[in-house]
């Protein structure tokens, strides 16, 4: 493991600290004196409509230090002059009713006049953002052409026009390279993937994307998971998707980072409300209210209440979110306190056997699979300008997340055993307990497709064999997480004859704690596939863990602009990450105990270069490194001698090494001046990301179990391209990503449901076994191609139509890591591949009045049946849905004599069919 250690600097004898204080004060005074001698600059602005005609518009000019804030109106010729502007960088925002808001960066130089012409697009076009924050905190804004990578941005208007349910759904619809796996089959719990890396709400999923909300990290202390239902869509102002392993965004930034900024009362004044009603019993109401002045007090309040019965059986969702932001601004200081609360209950009943989906597309395998999140959060945000060149930004936060889950599963240990007819001894136990109606003889799968009596009897028997008779288990878990921390950043902007320089240095400290408990109760499967728990608990499956994660980091970034056309950025971050686990069931360190202390340290560098040989063309190239440390889940299951079956159990294990990703990226982008295609934007680039010590779940020599292990090397490489523009009243965009995600080393993994396992190839199909991965095999659930297309048509000043297409190619199912699986129709069923798909979404909205809007949305317009995820697994049901314990006789001879084979199938996560909703929106 590569580490850097911080040195302690000692005070030298005989050196008076006051000398340094005096020297620093002298330098600061001299800098301020020189700055005071620089004459002010000005901006001469003209605004035009898409036809090139001058137009009036409202504008706001805000210094990024912060400092100057000016609101203005252009004249009838679209002109306005902003004078007496101190040297520095400014954000100019222009808006007009019926047109898309546009935001650009302008560098003001002493004693110089800058002329800028801005063309506003029709409102049907996505809001245009040319300003990017280089770090999670504000204050390091750069133009897109200064960023060495294809950063994607979106605004609240973009999210609203897409008709997306939440942030994850929006990114899947509109952002290039993003796709989802709905492993939970709940719309608020998808795995969001970008370039083959994941941000997921599921414990145990390797997390390769970091997420920030107003500078507050959303990856949770326990497992680094991201709960998308805790991020209120209604409060989102801007979103940035930063590609690659950018070290400035800290741990888990292997494939990218998502940075979200929330609304405030100054930029989002007024009162809005929305009512939604439609398919799947969806009913929703949301409201937002903002106001205030550019200087002084401002506020923004938002709330959302959502209920849906779900399109699959017994799959409701209840989401309740509240958000408040209170702010205070002066010419030099910007303070804000955000408060949020979520009270959500989500049912997602997971994957289903493909045969049963063919019979009933809305069917489920086992129920319930519920997650209840209760999460208050507080974030204090501060920015202050010492001078026009020197600024501070920072935040301090606290959040509490309480998660309770119930996971219903079939107990595969009963497969191959007699569980239908209770034995004479079990009948005696049932009679003594007062039960009647149980079969005395002849019970089998034909007349008892859902057996329960042996399970009940064994649960009532002291030390009974519930593991061999109960065909279901309910896993009950509870997490209570607390996290607090602070971050601070100093940004210094300077200019010289050769160019402009922006230097920022910052630090972050956060401390998380978690209390995690888990117990597994035996039960029996009912005809509706729910599981009734009996009074018996699985031995060795209980967990009572307390963990602490005190972490800190230091980072810097420096962007030097040379001769207006070349931008060089050098950055880096040192991470110090510690995990302290305390096992409350077995507190003595050693075999069987989860007690352990783990320390991970690393410095990750990055260097990027952009060049604009002509104003309409920009080239970029970058090398960067990112890392993530193992989670408590992975550290609790990493011993080959003590394998486990996640998420059912954790055990004491040896430490794992942290994952390190090195990313190379290069590309071209531009804004050509084409008269018949105004505002055309395009980008094409190539990338390669190599993971060292990737952490995967690897099979053990103990059949059917496994453990987490560092995987020597994996690779994600490909090409992404996008183009968008406007033609008359039509705004359009096309995105495409070609991605190759492969293993680059040899490993042995669990292949129990794969027909190429070592046991199947040796003549014993249907038994547990291993498969062998070779370099070049594709990683499951990562499609080779994804594409998106959208078209927004402003038919009239009141009527608009939006059409969105999402296309995803096929991918291998989990369990088919060697890409060699083929069904035999007997022991191994289904294709082993998740087929590709293309779905279309439609939205139309009409302004009934100036304040009232009616919208119609249809998702999956052509009612396609499609799947977003697949997995190979043992199946406990027949094609008609009856529980089958022993479909095949046991092998009579050989090394596996006495073992009964079990059938396996391809399980799919089905996508939602065609559904429609109507919305009524009111604006004041």
């Amino acid at each position: 493991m590569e580490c850097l250690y911080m040195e302690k600097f000692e005070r030298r004898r005989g050196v008076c600290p006051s000398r340094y204080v005096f020297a620093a004060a002298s330098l600061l005074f001299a800098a301020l004196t020189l700055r005071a001698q620089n004459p002010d600059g000005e901006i001469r602005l003209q605004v035009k409509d898409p036809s090139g005609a001058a137009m009036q518009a409202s504008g706001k000019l805000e210094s990024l230090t912060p400092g100057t804030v000016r609101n203005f109106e252009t004249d009838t010729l679209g002109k306005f002059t902003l004078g007496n502007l101190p040297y520095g960088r400014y954000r100019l925002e222009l808006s007009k009713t019926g047109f898309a808001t546009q935001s650009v960066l302008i560098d003001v130089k002493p004693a110089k006049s800058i002329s800028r012409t801005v063309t506003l697009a029709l409102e049907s076009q996505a809001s245009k953002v040319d300003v990017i924050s280089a770090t999670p905190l504000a204050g390091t804004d750069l133009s897109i052409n200064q960023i060495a990578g294809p950063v994607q941005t979106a605004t609240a208007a973009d999210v609203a026009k897409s008709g997306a349910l939440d942030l994850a759904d929006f990114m899947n619809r509109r952002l290039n390279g993003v796709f989802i796996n709905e492993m939970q089959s709940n719309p608020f719990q998808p795995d969001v993937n970008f370039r083959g890396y994941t941000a997921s709400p599921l414990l145990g999923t390797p997390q390769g994307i970091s997420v920030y909300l107003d500078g507050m990290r959303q990856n949770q202390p326990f497992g680094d998971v991201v709960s998308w239902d805790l991020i209120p869509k209604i409060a989102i102002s801007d979103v940035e998707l930063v590609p690659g392993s950018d070290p400035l965004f800290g741990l888990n930034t292997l494939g990218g980072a998502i940075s979200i900024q929330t609304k405030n009362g100054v930029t989002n004044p007024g009162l809005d409300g929305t009512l939604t009603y439609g398919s799947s019993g969806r009913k929703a109401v949301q409201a937002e209210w903002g106001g205030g002045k550019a200087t002084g007090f401002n506020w923004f309040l938002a709330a959302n209440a959502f209920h849906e019965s779900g399109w699959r059986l017994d799959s409701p969702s209840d989401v309740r979110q509240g958000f408040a932001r209170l702010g205070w601004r002066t010419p030099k200081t910007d303070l804000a306190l955000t408060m949020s609360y979520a009270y959500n209950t989500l049912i997602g009943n997971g994957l289903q056997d493909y045969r049963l989906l063919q019979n009933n597309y809305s069917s489920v395998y086992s129920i319930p699979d519920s997650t209840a999140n209760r999460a208050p959060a507080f974030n204090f945000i501060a920015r202050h300008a010492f001078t026009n060149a020197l600024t501070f930004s920072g935040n301090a936060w606290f959040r509490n997340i309480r998660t309770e889950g119930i996971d219903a599963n079939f107990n595969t240990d009963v497969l191959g055993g007699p569980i239908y007819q209770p034995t004479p001894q079990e009948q005696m136990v049932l009679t003594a307990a007062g039960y009647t109606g149980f079969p005395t003889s002849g019970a089998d799968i034909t007349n008892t497709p859902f057996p329960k009596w042996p399970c009940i009897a064994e649960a009532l028997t002291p030390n009974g064999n519930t593991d061999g008779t109960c065909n279901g288990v309910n896993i009950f878990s509870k997490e209570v997480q607390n996290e607090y921390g602070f971050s601070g950043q100093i940004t210094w902007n300077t200019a010289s004859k050769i160019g402009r320089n922006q230097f920022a240095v910052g630090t972050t400290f956060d401390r998380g704690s978690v209390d995690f408990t888990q117990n597994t109760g035996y039960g029996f499967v009912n005809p509706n596939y729910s599981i009734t728990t009996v009074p018996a608990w699985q031995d060795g499956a209980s967990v009572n863990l307390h963990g602490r994660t005190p972490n800190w980091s230091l980072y810097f970034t420096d962007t030097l602009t040379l001769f207006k056309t070349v931008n060089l950025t050098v950055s880096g971050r040192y991470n110090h990450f510690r995990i302290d686990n305390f096992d409350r069931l077995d507190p003595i360190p050693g075999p069987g105990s989860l007690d352990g202390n783990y320390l991970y340290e690393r410095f990750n560098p990055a260097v990027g270069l952009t060049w604009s040989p002509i104003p309409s063309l920009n080239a970029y190239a970058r090398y960067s490194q990112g890392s993530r440390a193992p989670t408590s889940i992975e550290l609790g299951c990493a011993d080959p001698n003590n394998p486990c079956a996640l998420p059912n159990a954790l055990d004491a294990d040896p430490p794992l090494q942290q994952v390190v990703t090195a990313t190379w990226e290069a590309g071209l982008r531009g804004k050509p001046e084409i008269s018949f295609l105004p505002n055309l934007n395009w980008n094409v680039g190539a990338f390669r990301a190599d993971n060292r010590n990737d952490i995967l779940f690897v099979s053990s020599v103990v059949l059917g179990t496994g453990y987490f292990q560092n995987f020597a090397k994996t690779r994600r490489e490909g090409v992404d391209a996008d183009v968008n523009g406007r033609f008359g009243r039509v705004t359009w965009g096309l995105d495409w990503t070609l991605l190759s995600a492969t293993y680059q080393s040899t490993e042995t993994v669990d292949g129990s449901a794969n027909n190429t396992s070592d046991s199947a190839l040796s003549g014993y199909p249907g038994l547990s076994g291993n498969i062998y991965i070779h370099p070049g095999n594709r990683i499951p659930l990562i499609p080779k191609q994804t594409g998106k297309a959208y078209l927004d048509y402003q038919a009239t000043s009141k009527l608009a139509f939006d059409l969105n297409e999402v296309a995803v190619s096929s991918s291998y199912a989990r369990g088919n890591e060697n890409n060699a699986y083929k069904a035999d129709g007997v022991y191994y069923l289904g294709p082993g591949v998740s087929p590709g798909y293309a779905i279309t979404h439609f939205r139309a909205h009409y302004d009934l009045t100036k304040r009232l809007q009616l919208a119609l949305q249809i998702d999956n317009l052509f009612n396609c049946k499609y799947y977003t995820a697949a997995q190979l697994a043992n199946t406990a049901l027949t094609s008609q849905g009856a529980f089958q314990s022993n479909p095949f006789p046991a092998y009579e001879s050989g090394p596996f004599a006495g073992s009964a084979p079990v059938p396996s199938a391809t399980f799919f996560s089905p996508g939602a069919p065609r559904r429609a909703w109507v919305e009524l929106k009111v604006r004041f």
Side-chain angles (χ1 to χ4, degrees):
M1 180 172 58
E2 185 177 350
C3 300
L4 278 181
Y5 296 93
M6 302 299 295
E7 298 180 359
K8 296 182 178 179
F9 295 92
E10 298 182 355
R11 179 181 174 182
R12 291 181 290 181
R13 295 183 179 179
V15 178
C16 179
S18 60
R19 295 183 181 178
Y20 294 103
V21 175
F22 177 77
S26 301
L27 289 173
L28 181 59
F29 176 78
L32 293 176
T33 302
L34 289 172
R35 182 162 302 280
Q37 296 173 355
N38 288 333
D40 292 335
E42 68 175 17
I43 300 174
R44 294 180 179 178
L45 177 68
Q46 183 171 28
V47 182
K48 296 183 178 181
D49 66 14
S51 67
M55 63 180 290
Q56 287 183 294
S58 299
K60 183 179 74 171
L61 185 73
E62 183 177 7
S63 172
L64 299 184
T65 45
T68 303
V69 177
R70 296 188 190 179
N71 295 304
F72 62 91
E73 296 278 343
T74 64
D75 60 21
T76 56
L77 298 177
K79 294 183 178 181
F80 193 86
T81 299
L82 296 152
N84 300 318
L85 297 175
Y87 157 79
R89 173 162 284 194
Y90 293 79
R91 185 202 305 268
L92 175 66
E93 186 175 284
L94 294 166
S95 61
K96 183 178 176 64
T97 302
F99 293 83
T101 300
Q102 184 162 325
S103 178
V104 295
L105 284 181
I106 298 178
D107 290 319
V108 173
K109 297 183 178 181
K112 286 191 177 182
S113 178
I114 298 174
S115 296
R116 180 64 60 92
T117 299
V118 179
T119 300
L120 293 185
L122 293 173
E123 190 173 21
S124 62
Q125 184 179 1
S127 299
K128 190 175 181 181
V129 179
D130 287 331
V131 182
I132 306 297
S133 179
T135 66
L137 292 174
T140 55
D141 290 349
L142 299 170
S143 68
I144 287 181
N145 283 348
Q146 291 179 290
I147 302 291
V151 178
Q152 300 179 69
T153 63
T155 67
D158 300 326
V159 177
K161 287 183 178 67
S162 72
L165 177 64
D166 64 356
L167 175 62
D169 187 26
F170 167 75
M171 293 189 294
N172 182 52
R173 293 178 185 227
R174 288 293 177 103
L175 297 189
N176 192 15
V178 176
F179 62 94
I180 62 172
N181 303 127
E182 295 179 296
M183 299 297 293
Q184 286 291 90
S185 286
N186 183 281
F188 291 94
Q189 295 179 292
D191 292 353
V192 175
N193 303 279
F194 176 62
R195 292 187 174 181
Y197 296 92
T198 306
S200 168
L202 301 182
L203 279 173
T205 302
Q207 308 288 334
I209 300 174
S210 60
V211 182
Y212 290 85
L213 180 67
D214 285 331
M216 177 173 61
R217 180 176 160 90
Q218 297 299 293
N219 300 78
Q220 297 170 20
F222 191 54
D224 293 327
V225 301
V226 178
S227 296
W228 300 108
D229 61 298
L230 303 185
I231 301 175
K233 181 190 73 171
I234 191 174
I236 294 175
S237 173
D238 300 284
V239 179
E240 296 177 7
L241 176 56
V242 182
S245 47
D246 192 331
L248 295 176
F249 288 84
L251 294 172
N252 297 98
T253 311
L254 307 183
I258 302 168
S259 182
I260 308 156
Q261 300 298 318
T262 59
K263 298 175 181 176
N264 62 69
V266 176
T267 58
N268 294 270
L271 176 64
D272 289 4
T274 304
L275 296 174
T276 304
Y277 182 81
S279 301
S280 304
R282 179 174 295 188
K283 296 181 285 288
V285 56
Q286 63 181 32
E288 59 180 270
W289 178 40
K293 298 180 178 180
T295 56
F297 177 69
N298 64 83
W299 71 91
F300 179 82
L301 308 175
N304 173 47
F306 175 97
H307 170 78
E308 182 179 278
S309 300
W311 67 272
R312 295 184 71 186
L313 299 177
D314 195 22
S315 301
S317 298
D318 287 284
V319 175
R320 287 140 293 195
Q321 301 165 326
F323 178 83
R325 179 169 177 146
L326 306 177
W328 180 267
R329 289 185 175 186
T330 71
K332 293 291 185 181
T333 303
D334 187 354
L335 304 177
L337 175 65
T338 68
M339 298 162 284
S340 64
Y341 184 73
Y343 190 98
N344 306 330
T345 302
L346 310 174
I347 308 293
N349 290 317
L351 290 79
Q352 170 66 301
D353 188 324
Y354 83 101
R355 299 171 301 163
L356 301 180
L357 287 174
Q358 291 175 344
N359 298 335
N360 182 358
Y361 190 66
S362 64
S363 64
V364 298
Y365 193 65
S366 61
I367 55 177
D369 193 341
S370 69
T371 302
N373 283 324
R374 312 290 185 261
F378 304 87
N379 188 17
F380 177 72
I381 308 165
R383 290 188 65 193
H384 178 71
F386 299 105
T387 70
N388 289 328
L390 187 65
T391 64
F392 167 81
S393 57
N395 64 334
W397 66 88
F398 170 80
R399 61 176 179 159
N400 168 268
I401 303 173
R402 179 189 179 98
T403 302
E404 296 184 8
I406 302 175
D407 183 12
N409 286 319
F410 287 161
N411 177 24
T412 56
D413 289 347
V414 304
L415 300 181
I419 65 170
Y420 299 97
Q421 173 61 51
T423 65
Q425 183 178 0
E426 290 170 344
Q427 295 179 41
M428 292 176 57
V429 172
L430 292 170
T431 301
Y435 286 97
T436 60
F438 51 84
T440 57
S441 63
D444 57 28
I445 190 174
T446 60
N447 54 37
T448 312
F450 295 94
K452 65 178 181 179
W453 295 112
C455 173
I456 297 174
E458 293 297 333
L460 297 174
T461 302
N463 300 318
N465 182 26
T466 49
D467 190 59
T469 56
C470 294
N471 57 2
V473 292
N474 278 321
I475 304 171
F476 303 90
S477 63
K478 178 181 176 182
E479 304 165 36
V480 178
Q481 301 180 77
N482 291 289
E483 183 182 20
Y484 63 88
F486 64 85
S487 60
Q489 175 181 286
I490 294 289
T491 305
W492 186 25
N493 291 282
T494 58
S496 65
K497 293 182 179 180
I498 63 172
R500 183 179 180 276
N501 189 76
Q502 177 179 277
F503 176 78
V505 61
T507 185
T508 298
F509 170 83
D510 65 87
R511 183 183 179 90
S513 68
V514 60
D515 292 290
F516 177 74
T517 58
Q518 183 172 273
N519 296 285
T520 302
Y522 287 107
F524 55 86
V525 181
N526 298 300
N528 68 346
Y529 304 106
S530 65
I531 295 176
T532 300
T533 303
V534 297
W537 299 90
Q538 192 175 83
D539 292 335
S542 296
V543 177
N544 191 339
L545 175 70
H546 174 72
R548 292 198 300 259
T549 56
N551 314 303
W552 61 271
S553 62
L554 294 170
Y555 65 88
F556 77 92
T557 178
D558 188 56
T559 299
L560 176 63
T561 301
L562 301 171
F563 311 111
K564 299 182 181 181
T565 61
V566 177
N567 298 278
L568 174 65
T569 299
V570 178
S571 58
R573 184 167 185 141
Y574 169 79
N575 298 306
H576 183 279
F577 184 83
R578 202 172 84 214
I579 300 176
D580 298 325
N581 285 339
F582 305 91
D583 191 337
R584 287 171 171 163
L585 296 180
D586 190 357
I588 301 176
S593 175
L594 291 173
D595 265 33
N597 305 101
Y598 311 91
L599 176 63
Y600 299 93
E601 298 174 289
R602 181 174 171 82
F603 176 79
N604 293 314
V607 58
L609 185 70
T610 71
W611 177 44
S612 298
I614 56 176
S616 61
L617 181 65
N618 181 257
Y620 58 86
R622 179 175 63 173
Y623 172 79
S624 60
Q625 290 186 359
S627 61
R628 81 169 181 92
T631 66
S632 295
I633 287 286
E634 293 162 339
L635 289 168
C637 184
D639 188 353
N641 298 316
N642 292 283
C644 58
L646 287 176
N648 297 349
L650 299 177
D651 206 345
D653 302 308
L656 297 169
Q657 296 184 36
Q658 60 184 322
V659 184
V660 178
T661 302
T663 303
W664 294 90
E665 187 153 18
L668 295 170
R669 59 194 165 200
K671 299 180 181 180
E673 299 294 335
I674 303 176
S675 58
F676 61 90
L677 282 178
N679 293 332
L680 183 69
N681 299 273
W682 63 272
N683 171 83
V684 60
F687 59 89
R688 170 179 283 187
D690 287 328
N691 277 21
R692 299 285 182 178
N693 296 319
D694 216 349
I695 298 176
L696 299 177
F697 194 63
V698 178
S699 70
S700 167
V701 293
V702 180
L703 297 179
T705 60
Y707 53 93
F708 284 103
Q709 175 177 301
N710 285 118
F711 210 80
K713 185 179 180 181
T714 60
R715 174 174 293 166
R716 285 92 167 159
E717 61 183 348
V719 176
D720 51 26
D722 61 83
V723 59
N724 60 79
R726 188 186 71 257
F727 183 78
R729 293 181 176 271
V730 176
T731 301
W732 57 274
L734 296 171
D735 301 330
W736 174 72
T737 295
L738 175 66
L739 174 63
S740 174
T742 57
Y743 301 101
Q744 294 295 310
S745 55
T746 302
E747 191 57 74
T748 303
V749 299
D750 180 35
S752 300
N754 193 312
N755 74 304
T756 60
S757 68
D758 49 9
S759 58
L761 294 177
S762 63
Y764 296 91
L767 299 182
S768 297
N770 297 325
I771 59 174
Y772 304 97
I773 295 175
H774 300 284
N777 289 149
R778 286 172 54 190
I779 301 174
L781 297 188
I782 301 178
K784 200 165 188 177
Q785 297 187 73
T786 59
K788 296 179 175 69
Y790 68 87
L791 186 148
D792 302 333
Y793 174 53
Q794 190 77 37
T796 70
S797 60
K798 294 184 176 182
L799 178 64
F801 300 96
D802 304 297
L803 205 62
N804 175 230
E805 180 89 4
V806 177
V808 178
S809 68
S810 63
S811 60
Y812 289 106
R814 283 183 178 170
N816 192 12
E817 284 82 2
N818 63 348
N819 307 166
Y821 167 89
K822 292 187 181 301
D824 64 5
V826 180
Y827 300 99
Y828 305 97
L829 312 172
V833 173
S834 183
Y837 61 87
I839 54 174
T840 305
H841 306 303
F842 170 81
R843 182 177 176 87
H845 56 87
Y846 181 77
D847 292 334
L848 300 173
T849 69
K850 183 178 180 181
R851 302 189 183 281
L852 201 61
Q853 183 184 89
L854 181 66
L856 168 68
Q857 179 166 327
I858 305 175
D859 281 1
N860 193 358
L861 180 63
F862 301 109
N863 200 27
C864 299
K865 290 186 177 181
Y866 66 101
Y867 311 104
T868 65
Q871 181 174 338
L872 302 180
N874 295 143
T875 183
L877 302 178
T878 67
S879 61
Q880 301 305 312
F883 188 89
Q884 58 178 354
S885 171
N886 47 354
F888 304 111
Y891 290 108
E892 298 180 352
S893 61
F896 298 101
S899 298
V902 175
S904 298
T906 302
F907 284 67
F908 287 130
S909 176
R914 179 170 55 223
R915 298 186 293 170
W917 302 275
V918 291
E919 288 182 359
L920 184 64
K921 179 179 290 186
V922 60
R923 293 171 289 193
F924 296 99

